[in-house]
Amino acid sequence: MLILLPPSEGKASEGDGPPLAELSFPALERPRKRVLNALVRASKRRDALDVLGLTPGLAGELAKNAELKTAPTLPAADLYTGVLYDNLGLRSLEGDARRRAEESVLIFSGLWGVLRITDRVPPYRLSMGVNLPPIGGLAAFWRPQLSKQLDRESGLVVDLRSATYAGAWQPGDRSVTVRVFRDGKVVSHMAKATRGEIARALLLQDTTPSTPDELAKLLTDLGHAVDLAPPTRPRRPWTLDVHTT
């Protein structure tokens, strides 16, 4: 099973370990360097805030981006903060749950493409939705790169990403896109919390669902109200709607 997560805008303020070294999926090293070099250059431009889609209050992030190649790093499990990651609680996972997280959780990133929770990277600021000169749209850039690496991964894919990051890799009909509703409407804050809770619950289970039906049954047994729908056309994901109160 793979659990796909978006990153978070909120991140730890600084790392405490050595500078960048080899990350998981080493075949992505070249495209990662391309994006990293482009981000460092873009962060030094006069119009950097506009290029990166940042508000003036985030101007301090530009200096961090400019020093990424030598900045101290920390594990991805400790880097990302915010509602989803607070409810996921990666730091508190132990034993088999921690092992499952290291094997199953993939965090998508505009800068790194995809990370495992053990990968050490510095704090950065770059959304997958940015059109980064001279690379262009990052989701389109990463899509063929990630497909080469991730299409070979086996098992059920539980997709908890936001739409921006879902565009970087489409696993097809072996995946289940999880949507969260309250009173029939998608609510962003509640969705992030519920996605974090679902990811944690899956990692704590001794049994791993291998089909969409098994996933729906497991979440129902855990107290969630869910509706499962098959793909609307070939190579599209299943949809699992989670209803909260």
Side-chain angles (χ1 to χ4, degrees):
M1 176 180 66
L2 295 178
I3 299 174
L4 312 185
L5 299 178
S8 61
E9 291 186 3
K11 298 178 181 68
S13 59
E14 58 185 2
D16 57 5
L20 279 168
E22 186 174 289
L23 303 175
S24 59
F25 302 102
L28 297 176
E29 180 180 4
R30 182 172 294 181
R32 283 168 172 157
K33 284 184 177 179
R34 281 191 62 191
V35 179
L36 175 59
N37 289 335
L39 176 59
V40 170
R41 290 194 298 270
S43 297
K44 297 177 181 179
R45 292 171 48 148
R46 291 184 178 179
D47 60 348
L49 290 176
D50 291 335
V51 170
L52 299 180
L54 302 178
T55 63
L58 295 173
E61 301 295 305
L62 299 178
K64 290 183 179 180
N65 281 350
E67 302 298 327
L68 283 173
K69 295 179 182 180
T70 57
T73 62
L74 72 167
D78 300 331
L79 172 63
Y80 298 104
T81 61
V83 176
L84 188 155
Y85 286 90
D86 287 346
N87 283 271
L88 172 53
L90 287 170
R91 291 185 182 184
S92 65
L93 294 176
E94 298 178 346
D96 288 343
R98 175 71 184 197
R99 175 185 56 78
R100 282 189 284 269
E102 292 176 358
E103 294 174 351
S104 300
V105 172
L106 297 179
I107 303 171
F108 283 69
S109 164
L111 176 52
W112 313 112
V114 68
L115 297 170
R116 294 194 184 276
I117 68 169
T118 52
D119 284 327
R120 298 189 66 98
V121 294
Y124 65 95
R125 177 70 67 156
L126 181 65
S127 169
M128 188 71 81
V130 167
N131 193 320
L132 183 66
I135 290 173
L138 290 172
F141 170 80
W142 281 116
R143 194 176 303 122
Q145 313 289 345
L146 295 179
S147 294
K148 291 178 184 178
Q149 300 303 309
L150 300 181
D151 284 353
R152 67 187 67 175
E153 298 284 327
S154 60
L156 180 70
V157 177
V158 182
D159 194 348
L160 301 170
R161 297 173 295 173
S162 56
T164 301
Y165 290 87
W169 180 50
Q170 292 294 333
D173 57 10
R174 68 188 178 105
S175 71
V176 181
T177 297
V178 177
R179 305 186 304 182
V180 181
F181 290 85
R182 183 175 185 180
D183 297 328
K185 299 179 180 178
V186 176
V187 279
S188 177
H189 185 85
M190 179 70 71
K192 292 176 182 178
T194 302
R195 286 171 178 153
E197 292 169 1
I198 288 173
R200 183 176 180 85
L202 292 174
L203 295 171
L204 290 173
Q205 300 306 304
D206 292 329
T207 58
T208 300
S210 59
T211 67
D213 286 319
E214 289 180 4
L215 174 64
K217 183 179 184 305
L218 175 59
L219 294 181
T220 299
D221 292 344
L222 291 172
H224 294 281
V226 305
D227 291 318
L228 179 66
T232 56
R233 56 184 186 273
R235 293 292 302 165
R236 298 296 296 170
W238 291 66
T239 302
L240 185 72
D241 292 342
V242 180
H243 303 279
T244 62
T245 56

